Amino acid sequence: MLKTFYAKSFNKDTSGDGKEECVICLDEFKGLNSNVMELYCGHEFHNQCILKWINLTEPQSVCPVCRHPLNPSFPSDI
């Protein structure tokens, strides 16, 4: 399954004071049940945003923030 291969998906509680945003769409994670996906490098995105990113950049998908490879078979020295 694509989601579990690349990241973990969860509902994020964003009811606190800290404003966090998805760097792909630049919208804030809103509400008690924001659908968020965290990549193995620790960066978080809206589920639909990162899945679109992954589909557009396959097979050499990297994190849009730190460029960490999302595919373990892709060389990490990019």
Side-chain angles (χ1 to χ4, degrees):
M1 179 181 220
L2 185 64
K3 282 198 287 191
T4 57
F5 182 76
Y6 290 105
K8 66 180 178 181
S9 183
F10 59 97
N11 288 330
K12 184 177 184 108
D13 180 357
T14 58
S15 58
D17 292 337
K19 290 186 177 182
E20 295 182 62
E21 65 182 26
C22 173
V23 299
I24 296 174
C25 70
L26 302 179
D27 281 343
E28 291 181 22
F29 300 125
K30 297 177 184 168
L32 292 173
N33 292 316
S34 276
N35 259 341
V36 175
M37 188 176 285
E38 181 180 348
L39 301 182
Y40 292 121
C41 58
H43 293 111
E44 298 173 348
F45 310 91
H46 290 118
N47 281 353
Q48 69 275 14
C49 294
I50 194 62
L51 289 175
K52 186 175 181 180
W53 171 268
I54 290 168
N55 288 331
L56 289 172
T57 60
E58 282 282 5
Q60 300 172 345
S61 297
V62 294
C63 172
V65 174
C66 69
R67 311 284 294 165
H68 186 275
L70 303 181
N71 185 340
S73 64
F74 185 66
S76 60
D77 58 338
I78 50 174

